[in-house]
Amino acid sequence: MKLRYLVVALCLGACAMAGKYSREVNEPKPSGSDGQTVEFRIAKLNQVWEKAKRMQLSPVRLTELHSDLKIQEKDEMQWKKMKVEGLDENGEKEAQLRRNFNVILAKYGMDGKRDTRPLESNYLKDHDTKEADAFDDPRLDKLWNKAKSSGKFSSEELLSLKREFQHHKDKIHEYNILMDTVSRTEEIHKNVISPLEGDTKEHVLHQKHTELKQKMRDLNQGFERLRKLSHEGFTEDSEFREPRVIELWEAAKRANLSDDELDSIKEELHHFETKVEKHSHYQEQLELSHQKLQHVEALGDKEHIKRNKEKYNTLAEKTREMSYKMKKHMQDLSNKISQQGLAHNEL
């Protein structure tokens, strides 16, 4: 009987958490000035979305972009409320939002530059990627080839390890984007005439350099973890499997939290990991659905095409929803860990 109550309690907790993010996702879509339904409430985000659809990004990349734009929309709407209330006087939040938007443009190849470091945020291309240059980084390639040939890992463990390497590659790409943004801001900073504007941009630059240093620390810690994992293999008492969850757990352990706080974070991370795994499953199903649709379209049966397109569109919508929920939850967890750690350091 006690077990039954426990299961019910856990289900109710999970439903409450799911409801928190579902309400945001399921809000009615906004309308543009012409009365037509649009995807986002901010014009520039709609422009990016329409451009992305014309670029013919892969289905999974398109869902990832949609969730990134949805997070950007939420943050910008919150900032507008802050501005009305007279907050963000030094423009720090506004600068961060501009930086985040530039990162999105660069991440999906829409910043007008030829991206020589392609970012694949999904892990569906394990079978058609050339193993020799899988990670576009000599240190990662060398470590991966050594781990792969060591005989320490089962096939399943190798797939988990590869996801960790791919995640680290993505983090390197994000760091390079941020570094490029800082370089461009410094070029603009040189041409500033107004002293007041110069002071503001000096503050923004300081914030960006601080963020760069933190990302570099995270990269170094991440690589050291990969190096240790490649040499020693997975341990049976590993708390988590997903790279993003492991990264949050490592951050929590470094944040000087109490045992009770760590236990609470650990429990929430287990729920989050389930969400990440579900999201990965939807990504795989979307990719398969897209391949099937292409096959059906090549055959030319209109009725068959219509049915498969409806299934594909439904799945794409669900995958976008899952992606947003996962990224929003990850953002909340990251903020929670940072704030709790900061509170302890100030005591």
Side-chain angles (χ1 to χ4, degrees):
M1 183 63 73
K2 287 182 180 178
L3 180 60
R4 185 182 298 172
Y5 286 139
L6 178 61
V7 170
V8 170
L10 286 172
C11 288
L12 287 172
C15 289
M17 183 62 75
K20 175 184 175 184
Y21 299 109
S22 295
R23 282 193 299 274
E24 295 170 357
V25 172
N26 295 323
E27 288 176 354
K29 288 190 177 180
S31 298
S33 55
D34 57 358
Q36 295 292 314
T37 300
V38 291
E39 200 69 29
F40 302 97
R41 288 169 288 178
I42 298 172
K44 68 179 180 182
L45 302 185
N46 280 312
Q47 290 168 1
V48 170
W49 179 243
E50 292 302 320
K51 181 180 178 181
K53 289 193 290 186
R54 292 194 298 272
M55 287 170 63
Q56 296 182 325
L57 294 176
S58 74
V60 172
R61 290 275 279 161
L62 207 54
T63 60
E64 289 295 291
L65 170 63
H66 189 278
S67 57
D68 283 343
L69 291 175
K70 203 75 182 167
I71 294 283
Q72 181 74 14
E73 177 186 53
K74 175 191 65 68
D75 290 344
E76 292 209 17
M77 297 302 285
Q78 285 179 350
W79 170 75
K80 284 179 180 178
K81 288 179 183 177
M82 286 173 61
K83 197 175 179 183
V84 169
E85 293 166 4
L87 304 173
D88 195 37
E89 288 182 4
N90 62 3
E92 185 177 321
K93 181 66 177 175
E94 183 181 10
Q96 183 187 18
L97 286 170
R98 195 181 302 117
R99 179 164 73 249
N100 292 347
F101 182 65
N102 288 334
V103 165
I104 290 172
L105 294 180
K107 183 177 176 182
Y108 296 94
M110 289 187 282
D111 59 346
K113 293 189 171 187
R114 185 175 179 275
D115 192 356
T116 57
R117 303 173 307 272
L119 172 66
E120 291 293 344
S121 60
N122 63 78
Y123 312 114
L124 304 176
K125 300 199 174 182
D126 288 344
H127 303 296
D128 56 12
T129 303
K130 290 181 182 177
E131 295 287 358
D133 58 352
F135 305 108
D136 303 323
D137 181 282
R139 289 200 310 169
L140 285 180
D141 291 338
K142 184 177 178 182
L143 201 56
W144 167 249
N145 289 325
K146 194 171 181 180
K148 195 175 59 169
S149 59
S150 67
K152 293 177 184 175
F153 302 94
S154 66
S155 299
E156 189 177 339
E157 286 174 334
L158 269 178
L159 281 175
S160 296
L161 184 63
K162 189 165 189 176
R163 282 202 299 272
E164 297 234 19
F165 272 74
Q166 179 68 46
H167 180 66
H168 191 79
K169 174 190 170 182
D170 293 352
K171 300 297 285 185
I172 292 172
H173 184 74
E174 288 172 13
Y175 175 81
N176 288 333
I177 289 171
L178 184 61
M179 190 163 60
D180 185 53
T181 307
V182 170
S183 299
R184 276 184 281 155
T185 307
E186 285 177 336
E187 281 299 316
I188 295 167
H189 184 61
K190 289 176 185 175
N191 301 320
V192 167
I193 298 172
S194 163
L196 183 61
E197 190 181 356
D199 290 342
T200 303
K201 288 189 175 177
E202 191 72 52
H203 175 74
V204 171
L205 277 174
H206 175 72
Q207 289 295 116
K208 287 187 175 182
H209 279 292
T210 302
E211 190 176 346
L212 269 176
K213 287 176 184 175
Q214 182 57 52
K215 282 193 178 290
M216 178 52 77
R217 276 196 294 270
D218 291 345
L219 280 175
N220 288 335
Q221 287 165 348
F223 183 79
E224 182 56 31
R225 185 182 176 281
L226 278 180
R227 190 193 64 75
K228 186 178 179 183
L229 196 57
S230 300
H231 283 86
E232 299 177 8
F234 289 96
T235 58
E236 289 187 12
D237 60 346
S238 296
E239 288 288 348
F240 304 102
R241 300 174 300 278
E242 288 292 334
R244 281 166 286 198
V245 185
I246 292 167
E247 186 180 334
L248 287 169
W249 178 235
E250 294 295 327
K253 288 193 291 185
R254 293 194 301 268
N256 194 29
L257 304 181
S258 68
D259 290 342
D260 286 344
E261 285 171 330
L262 268 180
D263 286 341
S264 174
I265 290 288
K266 186 193 291 185
E267 185 178 351
E268 196 168 348
L269 284 174
H270 279 296
H271 290 302
F272 177 60
E273 186 166 57
T274 301
K275 192 174 287 185
V276 173
E277 289 169 345
K278 189 176 179 182
H279 173 243
S280 296
H281 172 73
Y282 270 94
Q283 284 187 320
E284 289 169 9
Q285 293 305 307
L286 181 65
E287 188 70 29
L288 291 171
S289 178
H290 183 248
Q291 290 171 7
K292 186 177 180 181
L293 178 59
Q294 286 179 316
H295 176 68
V296 169
E297 284 175 339
L299 295 175
D301 183 337
K302 289 184 179 178
E303 189 59 35
H304 207 180
I305 290 170
K306 183 184 175 184
R307 282 201 307 271
N308 278 273
K309 192 167 280 187
E310 285 172 357
K311 288 179 183 177
Y312 170 76
N313 288 338
T314 301
L315 191 55
E317 185 70 31
K318 187 67 178 174
T319 308
R320 286 201 292 266
E321 182 183 324
M322 282 298 308
S323 184
Y324 173 77
K325 287 179 182 179
M326 187 203 71
K327 288 180 181 177
K328 178 66 175 69
H329 197 172
M330 184 170 181
Q331 188 183 57
D332 290 346
L333 280 167
S334 183
N335 290 339
K336 183 177 180 179
I337 291 167
S338 298
Q339 287 163 7
Q340 286 184 344
L342 189 63
H344 278 280
N345 291 334
E346 288 175 349
L347 292 176

